[in-house]
Amino acid sequence: MSADAQDHPPIGKLIDVGGYRVHLYCIGSGSPAVVIVGAGYSFDWALVQPDISKFTQVCAYDHSGIAWSDPGPTDSCSLRVSEVHSALKNAKISSPFVLVGHSLGALVARLYAAKYPDEVAGMVIVDHAFLGSLVLPPANSSRSAAPPILIGPSKGPSNVPAGIPAPDRAFEKLPSVDYELHLWANSLPGFSKTMQGNLQMVPECSSEVEAASGAQAAPFSDKPLIVLRTATSISAYEDLQKSLLALSTNSKEVLAENSGHLIMVDRPDLVISAIRDVEEASQRHTQLSH
């Protein structure tokens, strides 16, 4: 386990997923369960998860090689889908689930839904990762982090330019115990390699999702889907949002004002509301209200 268990004991359970263990933190009760598949650490959702637990069970996952999770095989979106699927099964968390994915995690959620459609009741996408050019926020912007993971088509991962606050500063909004865990997890060996890997995985994950979804017009059918997005005005980003909304005939877009990429930290209220709306629509088999 990649952690000092004495100083930073796991907040959840270590679940075997086939020769190694990943960390799964579940609280609350109810169905369908909400499953946060990333990105980020499980405790990065500390402003969201407790409120969700008031109306249903909610689980957050740390993929192999980060926080308390054991190192695993070569990382990929397919591997993360396999880890989530095995962890939920072995932890006896019953499907169907409402999946929540942020950034790269949104690709993981979409791939999970493509591979296990009967296990997914609905989905919340929180500022999906995309390919494009990095654009700085306005000088007077109050946003606390960079725009969504952006990768130039030929230049590889972009460095965050001067003028954009370090991502860790945004996480200062977390409860102190969770912010301490965030800093601790970032200090573990292999952190930089993991972050670089996340960036490099986006094109491959996108291809995996497209291949798994096939040519279906609305691969999620009429399952409730809410897409939270920032105010970033990039044509490629705008096109992505339209394609995401088209994944389901029962979809809704929510603009996260006064937020950077880390909407679950900057505007947890919007994430909580979106999850509640998808949860209720999936239970009642109704259309999302606009």
Side-chain angles (χ1 to χ4, degrees):
M1 179 173 63
S2 57
D4 184 336
Q6 182 176 352
D7 292 341
H8 300 93
I11 57 176
K13 296 181 179 180
L14 293 168
I15 309 295
D16 185 271
V17 292
Y20 64 99
R21 302 168 301 169
V22 297
H23 179 252
L24 189 68
Y25 177 47
C26 299
I27 55 177
S29 61
S31 180
V34 171
V35 179
I36 300 168
V37 297
Y41 304 111
S42 54
F43 38 81
D44 287 346
W45 296 79
L47 296 174
V48 171
Q49 192 169 6
D51 281 74
I52 303 305
S53 72
K54 294 176 183 178
F55 58 84
T56 193
Q57 185 175 37
V58 54
C59 300
Y61 142 85
D62 291 300
H63 68 79
S64 55
I66 66 169
W68 300 282
S69 296
D70 293 333
T74 302
D75 199 8
S76 69
C77 276
S78 285
L79 177 70
R80 295 190 190 187
V81 167
S82 175
E83 289 177 350
V84 172
H85 186 257
S86 295
L88 293 172
K89 180 180 179 181
N90 293 338
K92 295 180 170 42
I93 309 297
S94 300
S95 64
F97 314 112
V98 169
L99 299 181
V100 180
H102 167 252
S103 194
L104 178 60
L107 284 164
V108 176
R110 290 174 60 191
L111 187 59
Y112 193 107
K115 290 190 173 184
Y116 304 105
D118 292 342
E119 295 185 11
V120 178
M123 187 179 299
V124 175
I125 289 175
V126 184
D127 216 24
H128 195 293
F130 78 108
L131 304 177
S133 300
L134 185 60
V135 173
L136 293 173
N140 62 353
S141 172
S142 62
R143 289 187 290 166
S144 58
I149 291 178
L150 302 173
I151 303 177
S154 60
K155 297 181 180 179
S158 302
N159 293 321
V160 177
I164 293 183
D168 280 343
R169 295 300 300 273
F171 289 106
E172 290 180 354
K173 297 174 184 178
L174 293 173
S176 58
V177 63
D178 298 290
Y179 181 57
E180 181 182 341
L181 286 174
H182 181 91
L183 295 179
W184 158 76
N186 281 3
S187 73
L188 295 174
F191 167 73
S192 296
K193 183 178 179 181
T194 297
M195 293 301 99
Q196 186 77 1
N198 283 346
L199 290 169
Q200 294 171 340
M201 279 169 56
V202 174
E204 179 184 351
C205 289
S206 297
S207 296
E208 284 186 272
V209 169
E210 292 302 321
S213 299
Q216 301 175 63
F220 293 174
S221 185
D222 61 350
K223 294 176 182 177
L225 166 68
I226 292 182
V227 179
L228 288 94
R229 55 162 296 181
T230 63
T232 305
S233 56
I234 303 172
S235 58
Y237 183 66
E238 298 286 348
D239 291 343
L240 171 65
Q241 301 311 308
K242 293 177 183 177
S243 68
L244 294 175
L245 292 170
L247 293 173
S248 172
T249 58
N250 186 11
S251 63
K252 175 182 176 181
E253 181 179 70
V254 174
L255 179 64
E257 300 280 3
N258 302 315
S259 177
H261 184 40
L262 303 170
I263 299 176
M264 71 281 198
V265 175
D266 291 330
R267 293 296 309 273
D269 57 315
L270 295 181
V271 180
I272 293 165
S273 177
I275 293 173
R276 184 190 297 274
D277 288 350
V278 168
E279 179 84 6
E280 291 180 352
S282 68
Q283 289 174 331
R284 301 171 181 174
H285 304 285
T286 56
Q287 290 290 116
L288 292 166
S289 60
H290 290 264

